[in-house]
Amino acid sequence: MINFGYTASESRHIDMDERLHPAIEKMLHREPSLKECIACGRCAAVCTAGYFTGMQFYRLNLMAHRGLINEMKQAARACMLCGKCQMTCPKGVNIRHGVLLMSQITDVLDV
Amino acid sequence: MYHPFVLPFVVGFSVMGVVLVARYIYWLRGMSPGNRQRVLWGFFSRSTLLAVKEILQESLLHLKIFRVNPLLGFMHASLAFGWFMLIVGGKLETWYYTGNFFNPPYYAIFFRYFEPLTEGFWMNGVLLFYMELSLLIVLSGLSIAVVKRIRKKVVGMNNTTRHNPANRIALFFLWMVFPLRLMAESATVAVHGGGSFLTTVTSSLFLSHDWAVWLELPLWWAYSTGLGLFFLALPFSRYLHIPTEMVMLLLKKWGVQPEPGFNPEKGVQAFEVHSCPGCGVCLDVCPAMGAGINSFQSAYFVRQVRAGHNYETIADMCLNCGACKEACPVGISLESLRLDARSHLHRKANFDHRYLHGTMTLWRDTTEVVLYTGCMGRINPKTTQAVKSLLHEAGVKFIHLDEHESICCGRPMALAGAAEQAKMLIQRNRELIHGQNGQLLVTTCPICYRYFSSEYDLNIPVLHHSQFLWQLIETQKLNRHKGNLRYAYHDPCELGRGANCYDEPRNLLYTVGELVALSSERNKALCCGNNIGSLTLAEEQKQKITANTLTVLSENSPDYIVTACPMCKNTLSRQSTLPVRDLAEVMLECKEVNVAGSRTRKKQASVNVTP
Ligand code: SF4
Ligand code: SF4
Ligand code: SF4
Ligand code: SF4
């Protein structure tokens, strides 16, 4: 591993080489733009649901990559699909579709 | 009168009849009780007569297509109406000749074979002329259809529908049928004489009498077989639309209502889905087409729904801009069909908005206007500010409902196919709106406006800010002078086609400056490309659509591009080289170019604005 001159705690690593959960793989296949997220946090800053619940979309995406499917699904339920996040996202992530898939992941993407 | 060559036709025709009746009965039985009641009531009413008139206009003469595209309209009309003329003529001919009204159908269709020489009385000559004229009309339509397949630009279409194998087979037989009829009749004329202006010419194609004698029967066999196979293929191909469209028009006139759920093989939806001829009118109007995306247009969507597979990605991708629904000559409820398909696809979506607690309504002073700027308004503070300043200037008392806390109106959920789950949002918003004790709800977002008007059942009227600002101008609470800036107005889909509001925004712009004409505007306006209608279009694709729309908006080099939707404004301004403004901003800004008299008014107004 290259030494960048700092350390990070193991438990917080997201190892991109590790195989993702099959349900998440399917979700990413159906909405590939989710892979583009750079976790800049804009979506969270404007989130309509976030005002009431602290919902932060990029965190759901991180949960997905960490395999925390149930937590992700639970958190997705607060979304109003308003699309504000999408309007501000610099990477053009189809967040509404992403959340829609996240909220039904175990069923439609049959895990 | 009988000859074995009529058998292929008789078999094909009978099978078609049985399949059609069976399918229609099955669909009718699937209708909701309310709709079945309407059918029963409507059956013996005046609407049936009106529907017959419409069937004549739309299913046979295709007037709507004609208005959109005359050559294409002529093609459809000559095929359908010419054929209709042939059927009527055949009936008259056999009736006149035999004296009986009822004859076996094949007798009329192959009449020329059975009775080659009906001369002797002037009426025969007239009928003969009429029949050949009808055939010529059909053939002229057919030749346009053939040319259209090869070079679509000829009929002024940029796109024609790509067809699947079942449809191509049916199309092949349909194309074969009429030339074969002409050949067969010409052969008979060459053998026996007779014939009118058309066949006397074409019969000379048969070089000799012997050739004609030899070819006559095989040609009649071929004609009968082609016809039989076409009828056989009809109930399983897009040509099912020919009878279904007529039934659909009747049902519409009887007032049947859309049925909940996604059931393309049951009830009203079945009739709608099967009445699409795949005419392709929806292709040319689709904003995505100009950006080179040709996979999800309504013609394909309806076709896949009919086929029962592969409609999923198509349903999710479309922008729901409504242009195709507006243009569809059959009047299929494309938007509700698409949203029903989405709810079916995402039926497991599971949202929960119970975290929105009910608010206690304390007693409030009445206020004139409740201003609601919506989610998109929040990422467009300049528009919100402009509206507020204008309201101050006009001296309107208002409350900004969602200044601090905003709840989505619920339409985006409906657009994603989760309308059922927007109930909580609607309920909370309604409580909030009613709690303000206002007289009028004004919103700056067309998406909210449309949903408030259609789904909310509010106790006060709703207006879009463009409508309200125009009222203020009309009542002279706001005064503006005409400047010399040139504006291009972009119709937001949800406000224009969605809510039929085209004039107020234009009136406002006329008041303050000049409005440039565009090649697609009003109900033909192109979508900005980034509405929330599409769930899956990728960013680059949306950008292409936006670029395409901007080309149209910039065509007459206006000074400003103006729109009335915060989302359109954000989307367009990202890629536009021209400045993009909301109507309210224009109305506010143009105080600067006013004459001295109104300047003073502005000063007074700005005193009011400062809190
Ligand atoms: S705004 Fe877009 S890129 Fe930024 S965190 Fe959200 S989804 Fe990721
Ligand atoms: S669509 Fe959902 S995640 Fe995005 S801003 Fe609206 S409520 Fe938040
Ligand atoms: S949906 Fe309407 S416009 Fe499109 S092909 Fe069918 S009938 Fe024609
Ligand atoms: S609604 Fe608009 S984007 Fe969708 S298919 Fe129709 S014209 Fe195309």
Side-chain angles (χ1 to χ4, degrees), chain B residues 226-245:
Chain B
L227 206 55
L229 286 173
F230 172 70
F231 283 132
L232 203 60
L234 183 137
F236 309 100
S237 72
R238 72 188 177 111
Y239 294 100
L240 179 55
H241 81 84
I242 300 173
T244 314
E245 203 184 324

Side-chain angles (χ1 to χ4, degrees), chain B residues 373-450:
Chain B
T373 48
C375 302
M376 291 299 155
R378 290 182 88 77
I379 48 175
N380 224 322
K382 220 175 145 195
T383 307
T384 308
Q385 257 325 305
V387 175
K388 285 180 166 185
S389 307
L390 289 169
L391 293 182
H392 277 300
E393 186 186 332
V396 175
K397 255 176 62 185
F398 71 93
I399 286 179
H400 187 184
L401 182 66
D402 53 351
E403 183 161 20
H404 303 294
E405 226 180 68
S406 95
I407 303 175
C408 180
C409 67
R411 171 111 174 117
M413 298 220 71
L415 282 171
E420 279 302 306
Q421 310 201 32
K423 294 251 154 74
M424 186 60 120
L425 305 181
I426 296 183
Q427 191 185 330
R428 289 285 174 261
N429 267 327
R430 197 195 285 121
E431 282 165 11
L432 280 171
I433 295 166
H434 286 176
Q436 303 306 315
N437 224 354
Q439 290 157 10
L440 176 69
L441 177 66
V442 173
T443 170
T444 53
C445 176
I447 304 169
C448 306
Y449 170 61
R450 192 168 166 197

Side-chain angles (χ1 to χ4, degrees), chain A residues 30-33 46 48-53 55 73-74 76-101 103-105 107-108, chain B residues 316 345-356 375-376 378-379 404-408 411-413 415-416 418 425 530-539 542 566-567 570-571 574:
Chain A
R30 282 179 62 175
E31 191 42 72
S33 68
V46 298
T48 311
Y51 183 89
F52 301 95
T53 66
M55 158 145 194
K73 188 179 173 186
Q74 202 53 38
R77 298 179 69 194
C79 175
M80 304 187 199
L81 295 179
C82 70
K84 234 199 286 182
C85 45
Q86 222 161 291
M87 289 299 289
T88 55
C89 174
K91 298 296 283 178
V93 179
N94 273 328
I95 301 179
R96 292 174 68 237
H97 190 222
V99 181
L100 196 61
L101 293 178
S103 84
Q104 51 186 328
I105 189 159
D107 297 309
V108 164
Chain B
D316 276 350
L345 288 174
H346 302 295
R347 59 194 176 281
K348 300 277 174 63
N350 186 5
F351 294 95
D352 181 2
H353 304 119
R354 273 173 301 179
Y355 57 82
L356 297 170
C375 302
M376 291 299 155
R378 290 182 88 77
I379 48 175
H404 303 294
E405 226 180 68
S406 95
I407 303 175
C408 180
R411 171 111 174 117
M413 298 220 71
L415 282 171
L425 305 181
N530 196 19
N531 67 5
I532 41 175
S534 171
L535 284 167
T536 55
L537 263 187
E539 184 75 353
K542 291 184 197 162
M567 197 154 51
N570 271 6
T571 307
R574 279 183 202 166

Side-chain angles (χ1 to χ4, degrees), chain B residues 438-604:
Chain B
Q439 290 157 10
L440 176 69
L441 177 66
V442 173
T443 170
T444 53
C445 176
I447 304 169
C448 306
Y449 170 61
R450 192 168 166 197
Y451 218 49
F452 285 153
S453 352
S454 67
E455 303 294 319
Y456 266 64
D457 197 18
L458 292 171
N459 60 7
I460 51 172
V462 196
L463 286 183
H464 180 251
H465 72 294
S466 63
Q467 296 166 326
F468 187 60
L469 290 179
W470 176 239
Q471 279 189 3
L472 292 180
I473 293 271
E474 275 195 315
T475 51
Q476 299 196 328
K477 286 188 182 147
L478 268 182
N479 294 294
R480 288 294 181 271
H481 286 270
K482 205 172 174 74
N484 49 10
L485 288 175
R486 302 170 73 243
Y487 302 104
Y489 177 65
H490 168 77
D491 285 287
C493 304
E494 296 277 290
L495 189 65
R497 286 182 291 263
N500 213 2
C501 168
Y502 297 108
D503 292 328
E504 288 89 345
R506 288 185 165 75
N507 291 346
L508 284 173
L509 290 174
Y510 271 130
T511 317
V512 297
E514 278 176 55
L515 195 60
V516 301
L518 304 171
S519 56
S520 341
E521 58 178 334
R522 300 183 79 99
N523 63 355
K524 295 198 184 63
L526 300 175
C527 172
C528 71
N530 196 19
N531 67 5
I532 41 175
S534 171
L535 284 167
T536 55
L537 263 187
E539 184 75 353
E540 315 83 72
Q541 294 175 311
K542 291 184 197 162
Q543 282 172 357
K544 275 195 211 154
I545 298 175
T546 311
N548 201 38
T549 307
L550 278 169
T551 320
V552 171
L553 287 168
S554 327
E555 67 209 345
N556 288 317
S557 37
D559 298 308
Y560 287 99
I561 291 173
V562 185
T563 185
C565 166
M567 197 154 51
C568 296
K569 185 193 146 197
N570 271 6
T571 307
L572 294 174
S573 55
R574 279 183 202 166
Q575 283 170 250
S576 173
T577 46
L578 294 165
V580 182
R581 297 278 186 275
D582 187 273
L583 267 173
E585 294 161 40
V586 172
M587 297 307 288
L588 191 70
E589 273 173 25
C590 63
K591 281 195 297 189
E592 317 292 333
V593 295
N594 279 351
V595 289
S598 56
R599 278 238 174 89
T600 39
R601 241 198 317 265
K602 177 197 148 203
K603 282 207 186 96
Q604 287 167 354

